């Protein structure tokens, strides 16, 4: 969900309450502090929401560039060729 949100330019907060977070954050994920971050409490989340609101207004170009980067990296249009490739289908069948 985190990568999908970033790919759309939507801020996301990972809440790690009492160490229960599975911590599946891709290691090469850019944009921490800009459009996503991890918090341990509700008070941290509230502060982060305010920062993300400012980022959406003042750093919208950076967020759009990051979103485009992640859309290209993790998602594709479901064209006939991509479907054949993804499922290793024989296009001649």
């Amino acid at each position: 969900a985190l990568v999908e949100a970033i790919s759309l330019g939507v801020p996301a907060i990972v809440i790690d309450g009492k160490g229960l977070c599975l911590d599946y954050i891709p290691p090469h994920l850019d944009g921490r502090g800009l459009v996503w971050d991890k918090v341990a409490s509700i008070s941290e989340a509230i502060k982060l929401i305010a920062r993300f609101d400012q980022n959406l207004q003042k750093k919208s170009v950076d967020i759009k560039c990051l979103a485009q980067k992640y859309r290209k990296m993790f998602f594709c249009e479901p064209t006939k060729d991509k479907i054949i490739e993804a499922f290793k289908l024989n296009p001649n069948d």
Side-chain angles (χ1 to χ4, degrees), residues 27-58:
H28 56 282
L29 197 62
D30 295 331
R32 187 169 188 169
L34 175 66
V35 73
W36 77 273
D37 214 329
K38 187 167 135 178
V39 298
S41 70
I42 298 298
S43 61
E44 289 177 359
I46 291 169
K47 291 175 186 174
L48 195 55
I49 290 168
R51 182 178 350 143
F52 285 163
D53 187 45
Q54 289 178 354
N55 288 350
L56 287 170
Q57 294 175 30
K58 296 179 180 179

Side-chain angles (χ1 to χ4, degrees), residues 4-73:
E4 185 175 4
I6 294 170
S7 296
L8 296 171
V10 175
I13 299 172
V14 177
I15 299 176
D16 185 10
K18 298 181 183 179
L20 299 176
C21 179
L22 296 177
D23 206 19
Y24 183 70
I25 299 172
H28 56 282
L29 197 62
D30 295 331
R32 187 169 188 169
L34 175 66
V35 73
W36 77 273
D37 214 329
K38 187 167 135 178
V39 298
S41 70
I42 298 298
S43 61
E44 289 177 359
I46 291 169
K47 291 175 186 174
L48 195 55
I49 290 168
R51 182 178 350 143
F52 285 163
D53 187 45
Q54 289 178 354
N55 288 350
L56 287 170
Q57 294 175 30
K58 296 179 180 179
K59 299 180 179 182
S60 63
V61 173
D62 294 337
I63 292 171
K64 287 178 186 178
C65 289
L66 189 66
Q68 288 175 343
K69 173 184 171 182
Y70 282 106
R71 276 196 303 274
K72 288 180 183 176
M73 188 182 307

